Amino acid sequence: MKYYFLVFLFIMLSCTNGKKKNNESQIAIQKVIVIQPLGNFKIEQAEEVFIEIKAISDNVVLRKNIPFPENSFYKPRNRYRADNIIKSLKNNIGKDSVIVGLFNFDISTTKNGIKDWGVMV
């Protein structure tokens, strides 16, 4: 259940409504929210996230599970690299979309010169 809050927060921070002038009126342009489960993330949980997001935005798509990118697993710490996952996911959507990756594994990123920064849960 805690991932609902994280997904909602991510969407609120990531989805911007740009304004486009059209003669007499302004039309709001809303990005498409793409939900992308990774690895063995349960489709039932992904569908729950989809339903919750769909309640606040009609522009949402749920994709089928895909494997993690090949270069994203960091074997010494037995976790995935967020940098590589994000890079891979961003390459699979258009500029009119924002993508939300769902998975059940620990991740790490590069922060302040530390290559494998992250907290194991």
Side-chain angles (χ1 to χ4, degrees):
M1 292 298 197
K2 65 181 176 183
Y3 60 86
Y4 287 125
F5 175 74
L6 295 174
V7 170
F8 179 74
L9 181 61
F10 179 79
I11 290 168
M12 297 309 295
L13 295 174
S14 299
C15 295
T16 59
N17 288 341
K19 299 290 181 177
K20 180 178 178 182
K21 292 186 179 180
N22 186 6
N23 292 337
E24 298 173 4
S25 64
Q26 292 182 345
I27 301 171
I29 300 171
Q30 185 179 24
K31 291 190 175 201
V32 176
I33 302 164
V34 179
I35 302 170
Q36 181 61 73
L38 291 133
N40 64 354
F41 194 85
K42 293 181 181 176
I43 192 64
E44 296 83 15
Q45 289 178 312
E47 288 170 347
E48 289 178 28
V49 172
F50 173 79
I51 290 167
E52 293 295 323
I53 295 173
K54 187 81 172 164
I56 59 172
S57 173
D58 288 329
N59 294 335
V60 61
V61 176
L62 173 60
R63 289 184 176 172
K64 293 182 180 181
N65 286 48
I66 61 170
F68 283 91
E70 285 184 34
N71 63 344
S72 65
F73 188 70
Y74 186 65
K75 194 171 183 173
R77 299 290 297 270
N78 196 34
R79 57 187 177 189
Y80 288 88
R81 299 279 302 145
D83 313 54
N84 297 338
I85 295 169
I86 292 169
K87 188 177 196 180
S88 177
L89 291 178
K90 284 177 72 173
N91 289 334
N92 291 312
I93 60 167
K95 293 183 179 185
D96 64 340
S97 303
V98 62
I99 192 161
V100 178
L102 303 176
F103 48 89
N104 296 329
F105 294 98
D106 290 333
I107 60 172
S108 65
T109 190
T110 302
K111 179 180 177 183
N112 299 330
I114 301 170
K115 184 178 179 181
D116 187 45
W117 184 88
V119 177
M120 297 187 73
V121 188

